[in-house]
Amino acid sequence: MNPQDLATKIQANTKLVWLEAPGSVSMEFPNLIALVQTCKSHAVITALDNTWGAGLAFRPFDLLGDGSLSVDMTAHALTKYPSGGGDVLMGSVMTRDDALAMKLKLTMMRLGICVGPNDVESILRSLPTITLRYEAQDQTARKLAAWWQSQAACVQVMHPALEGSPGHANWKALCAPDGGAGLAAGLFSVMLSPKLTQAQVDAFCDTLKRFKIGYSWGGPVSLVVPYNIASMRSGWPSQLKPGFLVRFSTGFESADDLLADLSQAAARCLNI
Ligand SMILES: *Cc1c(COP(=O)(O)O)cnc(C)c1O
């Protein structure tokens, strides 16, 4: 979240900076343009985990829209949006740099990394519908995130497209530069009140009927995961309020069914 801090951390032996927008789980959206410019000014290679953007929310190979700024490579969990079925594990690395492509290719060959043809077939079948799926899950997630904003048990909603969410202005500059609605993945986190207990939060997740417990996203079924941020990070992220973090990913269920499910589970378990 801090390009100046990144500049101080780049050393003479730094070869590559790994970027992600937004950050996993905590969902803060960095100033990707400034981060890439910082790396470029130090002649360091940039790699972006672009699983969230999926090649749809923004253009990592043309960050300013005039062809002047590009990350060097992107990595995608094809497991998520490109598959859309929640039934394939695969990844990809992309670059427009021929020399880098050759390095990657030789490394893959020497490590013997390959994928199964049936998995490739399912990804190829799913790719033509990725835009429709991404947009539908985005719409549903925004409805659920807005509902959480009205809940007393929720102290913070982390969804890059929501006003007030950490790094929202950075999301807007990159994903909605024309002032439109922009695009965002069907993924968001909520910080539940520290007045609750972990047992209440866990009971809430268990009481949900439409949301299954699971880490992945971009598949047909909505998912929920309670996260213990303190055990995942070296320090509590400064942009997060204290509380219990729960992450949601939206599937293809109707938003009304999902909202009704959240309501019934919250009414039973999240009384503060
Ligand atoms: C899921 C995920 C991965 C890893 O993908 P798998 O295919 O599940 O191993 C990498 N990056 C991000 C941001 C992810 O969400």
Side-chain angles (χ1 to χ4, degrees), residues 82-83 87-88 117-127:
S83 155
D87 52 3
V88 176
N118 300 109
D119 290 346
V120 174
E121 184 186 20
S122 359
I123 301 281
L124 288 176
R125 191 170 48 196
S126 297
L127 270 181

Short mmCIF file of all heavy atoms in Angstrom, two decimals, residues 82-83 87-88 117-127:
data_model
loop_
_atom_site.label_atom_id
_atom_site.label_comp_id
_atom_site.label_asym_id
_atom_site.label_seq_id
_atom_site.Cartn_x
_atom_site.Cartn_y
_atom_site.Cartn_z
N PRO A 82 -11.14 -18.30 -14.83
CA PRO A 82 -11.05 -18.95 -16.13
C PRO A 82 -11.75 -20.32 -16.13
O PRO A 82 -12.39 -20.69 -17.12
CB PRO A 82 -9.55 -19.07 -16.37
CG PRO A 82 -9.01 -17.88 -15.62
CD PRO A 82 -9.84 -17.81 -14.37
N SER A 83 -11.68 -21.05 -15.02
CA SER A 83 -12.39 -22.33 -14.94
C SER A 83 -13.88 -22.08 -14.70
O SER A 83 -14.73 -22.53 -15.47
CB SER A 83 -11.83 -23.20 -13.81
OG SER A 83 -12.82 -24.10 -13.35
N ASP A 87 -13.75 -26.89 -10.33
CA ASP A 87 -13.40 -28.30 -10.42
C ASP A 87 -12.06 -28.56 -11.14
O ASP A 87 -11.78 -29.70 -11.53
CB ASP A 87 -14.53 -29.07 -11.14
CG ASP A 87 -14.90 -28.44 -12.47
OD1 ASP A 87 -14.26 -27.43 -12.88
OD2 ASP A 87 -15.83 -28.96 -13.12
N VAL A 88 -11.27 -27.49 -11.33
CA VAL A 88 -9.97 -27.66 -12.00
C VAL A 88 -8.92 -26.89 -11.20
O VAL A 88 -9.20 -25.81 -10.70
CB VAL A 88 -9.99 -27.07 -13.45
CG1 VAL A 88 -8.61 -27.16 -14.09
CG2 VAL A 88 -11.02 -27.78 -14.30
N PRO A 117 -4.41 -32.75 -20.19
CA PRO A 117 -5.22 -32.31 -21.33
C PRO A 117 -6.69 -32.15 -21.00
O PRO A 117 -7.36 -31.27 -21.55
CB PRO A 117 -4.99 -33.40 -22.39
CG PRO A 117 -4.37 -34.54 -21.68
CD PRO A 117 -3.69 -34.00 -20.46
N ASN A 118 -7.24 -32.95 -20.09
CA ASN A 118 -8.66 -32.81 -19.75
C ASN A 118 -8.91 -31.51 -19.00
O ASN A 118 -9.96 -30.88 -19.16
CB ASN A 118 -9.15 -33.98 -18.91
CG ASN A 118 -8.99 -35.29 -19.66
OD1 ASN A 118 -8.14 -36.09 -19.30
ND2 ASN A 118 -9.77 -35.46 -20.70
N ASP A 119 -7.93 -31.13 -18.17
CA ASP A 119 -8.04 -29.86 -17.45
C ASP A 119 -7.99 -28.70 -18.45
O ASP A 119 -8.75 -27.75 -18.36
CB ASP A 119 -6.92 -29.72 -16.42
CG ASP A 119 -7.09 -30.68 -15.26
OD1 ASP A 119 -8.19 -31.25 -15.11
OD2 ASP A 119 -6.11 -30.88 -14.51
N VAL A 120 -7.08 -28.80 -19.42
CA VAL A 120 -6.96 -27.75 -20.44
C VAL A 120 -8.28 -27.63 -21.20
O VAL A 120 -8.78 -26.53 -21.46
CB VAL A 120 -5.81 -28.08 -21.43
CG1 VAL A 120 -5.79 -27.08 -22.57
CG2 VAL A 120 -4.47 -28.07 -20.69
N GLU A 121 -8.88 -28.78 -21.51
CA GLU A 121 -10.14 -28.79 -22.24
C GLU A 121 -11.23 -28.05 -21.46
O GLU A 121 -11.98 -27.25 -22.03
CB GLU A 121 -10.57 -30.24 -22.49
CG GLU A 121 -11.82 -30.36 -23.34
CD GLU A 121 -12.30 -31.80 -23.44
OE1 GLU A 121 -11.91 -32.62 -22.60
OE2 GLU A 121 -13.08 -32.08 -24.36
N SER A 122 -11.31 -28.30 -20.14
CA SER A 122 -12.37 -27.60 -19.39
C SER A 122 -12.12 -26.11 -19.31
O SER A 122 -13.07 -25.33 -19.36
CB SER A 122 -12.59 -28.09 -17.96
OG SER A 122 -11.86 -29.06 -17.57
N ILE A 123 -10.85 -25.70 -19.19
CA ILE A 123 -10.59 -24.25 -19.14
C ILE A 123 -10.96 -23.62 -20.48
O ILE A 123 -11.59 -22.55 -20.53
CB ILE A 123 -9.10 -23.97 -18.81
CG1 ILE A 123 -8.70 -24.58 -17.46
CG2 ILE A 123 -8.81 -22.47 -18.87
CD1 ILE A 123 -9.11 -23.83 -16.25
N LEU A 124 -10.60 -24.28 -21.58
CA LEU A 124 -10.90 -23.72 -22.90
C LEU A 124 -12.41 -23.61 -23.13
O LEU A 124 -12.88 -22.68 -23.77
CB LEU A 124 -10.25 -24.57 -24.00
CG LEU A 124 -8.73 -24.44 -24.09
CD1 LEU A 124 -8.18 -25.40 -25.14
CD2 LEU A 124 -8.31 -23.01 -24.42
N ARG A 125 -13.16 -24.56 -22.57
CA ARG A 125 -14.61 -24.52 -22.74
C ARG A 125 -15.22 -23.37 -21.93
O ARG A 125 -16.23 -22.81 -22.30
CB ARG A 125 -15.23 -25.85 -22.31
CG ARG A 125 -16.68 -25.99 -22.69
CD ARG A 125 -17.17 -27.40 -22.46
NE ARG A 125 -16.78 -27.88 -21.12
CZ ARG A 125 -16.78 -29.15 -20.75
NH1 ARG A 125 -17.12 -30.09 -21.61
NH2 ARG A 125 -16.42 -29.50 -19.54
N SER A 126 -14.59 -23.05 -20.81
CA SER A 126 -15.14 -22.03 -19.91
C SER A 126 -14.75 -20.60 -20.30
O SER A 126 -15.47 -19.65 -19.98
CB SER A 126 -14.66 -22.27 -18.48
OG SER A 126 -15.14 -23.49 -18.01
N LEU A 127 -13.61 -20.45 -20.95
CA LEU A 127 -13.09 -19.10 -21.22
C LEU A 127 -14.08 -18.17 -21.94
O LEU A 127 -14.18 -17.00 -21.59
CB LEU A 127 -11.77 -19.16 -21.99
CG LEU A 127 -10.50 -19.23 -21.14
CD1 LEU A 127 -9.27 -19.27 -22.05
CD2 LEU A 127 -10.40 -18.06 -20.17
#
